[in-house]
Amino acid sequence: MAAPEDEDFEFNNQDYYSLLNVRKEATLEELKASYRRLCMLYHPDKHRDPELKRQAEQLFNQVHQAYEVLSDAHSRAIYDLFGKKGLEVEGWEVVERKRTPAEIREEYERLQREREERRLQQRTNPKGTISVGVDATDLFDRYDEDFEELPGGGFPHIEINKMHISQSIEAPLTNNDTAMLSGSLSTHNGSGGGNINVTVRRVVSAKGWGEVEFGAGDILGPLIGLKMFRNITSRCFLTAQCGLQFSPRGPRPSCSLMTARHLDQNTMGYLQWRWGPTSAMTTSLVRDTKSSHFTLALQLGVPHSYLMMSYQYKFQDEDQTKVKGSLKTGWFGTVVEYGAERKISRHSVLSATVSMGVPQGVTLKIRLARASQTYLFPIHLTDQLLPSAVFYATVGPLVVYMAIHRLIIIPYTQAQKEQELELQRKSSATDIAKKKQEAESAVLLMQESVRRIIEAEESKMGLIILNAWYGKFVSDTSQKQEKARVIDVTVPLQCLVKDSKLILTEASKVGLPGFYDPCVGEDKSLKLLYQFRGVMHQVISADNEPLRIPKQSHRIESES
């Protein structure tokens, strides 16, 4: 599975196992042994020079931090699953420590959701909708004789006959109280109005909340409403709402009651009763799975009663493509809708739906959702069912989308990726320079320890690292290029020699003290030339391949 774009390469996330040079399955005793040895090598008190002492403190702290995490079973499980970022999530201190990896993953995801919710509460969370109604019936229903005497009568007349704009913001007052301000403006054929609403919501407990709404408009008059939500059981909840609208014709009360129940893991059942200017009883069944969404609804009421069925298929692709269709029939007639939805960028979703019915005619609905903003464009094509209107409403958006996708979206996306790669390369170059400096400082700290190790190994004809190179080895014919892509790690490896043995785990060697990555994102290997018992040996090892020397198979046969 591909990583998120902003986490393709996390250069500073040093591997703790590689730093301590232990296996991922290392026991506590192995961790302690490696930790004690590294502390002896890099302890700050062994250096008098202020600069070397500062560098030793930095490396010593890294080793100590790695040991603290890996020696604690709970922290180690979190680190193994999510790396250093997982340890930075708030809330682990209150989590039960005896958890399985699966339970830790669930807890991590829950804490991440809570952190995102806290971030949302710190913002106003603006939401808005803009709807522009277009009357394009003249494209198909025009009467040619009416335009013969008018100049320019050969061109169809298309107009915007209605608009609707709404906006809302939220403001957290306390941990339990939230205020919401919303407003809307609507116009249709030259006449319209607007309204403004203020809502205060209080979370009473983990099982429910209530809110009070106050509104005013230039047409219907003031409004006061009350809404309550309550979880009855873990599988069932209830919502109740009542309101009073003060219109020019007098007070207009209304109320509604809705109950819902989880029938199974993916299926919900709803039952709603509504009383007021439009009274109705509605029951619906909704089944939502990973690959599909199905809805069946029946409403009995005044003035509208209907039966509605819809189905949506979800493709498991990167663009989250969905195709949908629905059938709705009632006293008003019959409406058939079909369409598609697709994610066109990280924060934008585009959908197009064709609606045709009797007596509504044919309408093309285009919807663009960009973050928390929604833009709607219902385009009314005909007042009657015409095959030509249905054909163009279906084919037209597909052709336009394919053209825009190929000519605009794909080049724009590629340009963005190239820009991100360039920024990543610049960032990696900066990180490489920093890591190189840290590695050089670590090598300076190792000089005294390496001198003592070499003296001890020479006295017993033990293991001496003569040359060691780490990086990407190219061809023998491009020596300059090869040297530019590898680094000398003779000193860091000699420092790891103990009792005439050098053992490296399967972790990437780039995390070892004194190492850094000279070729980010490319395959690397380790090339060693060493002497054991006066005999020359040579070996080339892949980056993530465990290595144990000396070994008889590494011996270089002397020429006769």
Side-chain angles (χ1 to χ4, degrees), residues 337-398:
E337 291 188 351
Y338 59 89
E341 177 182 298
R342 193 170 194 181
K343 187 176 181 180
I344 58 175
S345 70
R346 185 181 302 178
H347 303 291
S348 300
V349 177
L350 178 66
S351 64
T353 304
V354 178
S355 175
M356 52 185 179
V358 178
Q360 291 83 3
V362 180
T363 301
L364 172 62
K365 302 175 184 177
I366 298 176
R367 179 179 180 270
L368 174 64
R370 172 70 178 175
S372 59
Q373 302 294 314
T374 304
Y375 305 91
L376 300 173
F377 300 92
I379 305 172
H380 188 51
L381 299 177
T382 65
D383 292 322
Q384 54 186 327
L385 283 178
L386 294 179
S388 58
V390 175
F391 174 79
Y392 285 109
T394 304
V395 177
L398 288 175

Side-chain angles (χ1 to χ4, degrees), residues 267-332:
T267 308
M268 288 285 295
Y270 298 88
L271 182 62
Q272 182 181 27
W273 170 77
R274 188 171 65 249
W275 174 81
T278 55
S279 300
M281 176 73 77
T282 306
T283 180
S284 57
L285 185 70
V286 178
R287 180 170 179 79
D288 190 10
T289 65
K290 186 178 181 180
S291 60
S292 64
H293 182 94
F294 174 78
T295 302
L296 178 65
L298 173 64
Q299 175 174 301
L300 300 174
V302 179
H304 296 302
S305 296
Y306 64 83
L307 174 66
M308 190 270 290
M309 180 173 62
S310 69
Y311 179 80
Q312 182 181 86
Y313 181 78
K314 307 172 185 177
F315 291 90
Q316 305 303 311
D317 59 353
E318 184 179 355
D319 296 322
Q320 301 178 11
T321 306
K322 302 174 184 177
V323 293
K324 51 189 176 182
S326 68
L327 172 65
K328 187 175 183 180
T329 181
W331 303 126
F332 53 83

Side-chain angles (χ1 to χ4, degrees), residues 412-427:
Y412 175 75
T413 305
Q414 290 178 345
Q416 271 193 327
K417 289 182 178 179
E418 290 176 0
Q419 185 177 6
E420 290 175 358
L421 287 174
E422 182 63 27
L423 291 175
Q424 184 179 353
R425 281 192 290 267
K426 292 180 180 179
S427 176

Side-chain angles (χ1 to χ4, degrees), residues 15-36 38 66-67 70-71 76 79 496 503-508 511-513 546:
D15 182 11
Y16 287 157
Y17 292 100
S18 180
L19 179 63
L20 298 180
N21 191 30
V22 293
R23 302 174 297 116
K24 287 193 174 182
E25 301 81 12
T27 63
L28 185 59
E29 288 72 20
E30 291 174 332
L31 288 171
K32 285 181 180 178
S34 177
Y35 173 64
R36 289 170 181 168
L38 292 176
Y67 175 73
L70 298 184
S71 61
R76 184 173 180 177
Y79 175 78
L496 294 176
I503 301 174
L504 300 179
T505 66
E506 69 277 4
S508 174
L512 293 170

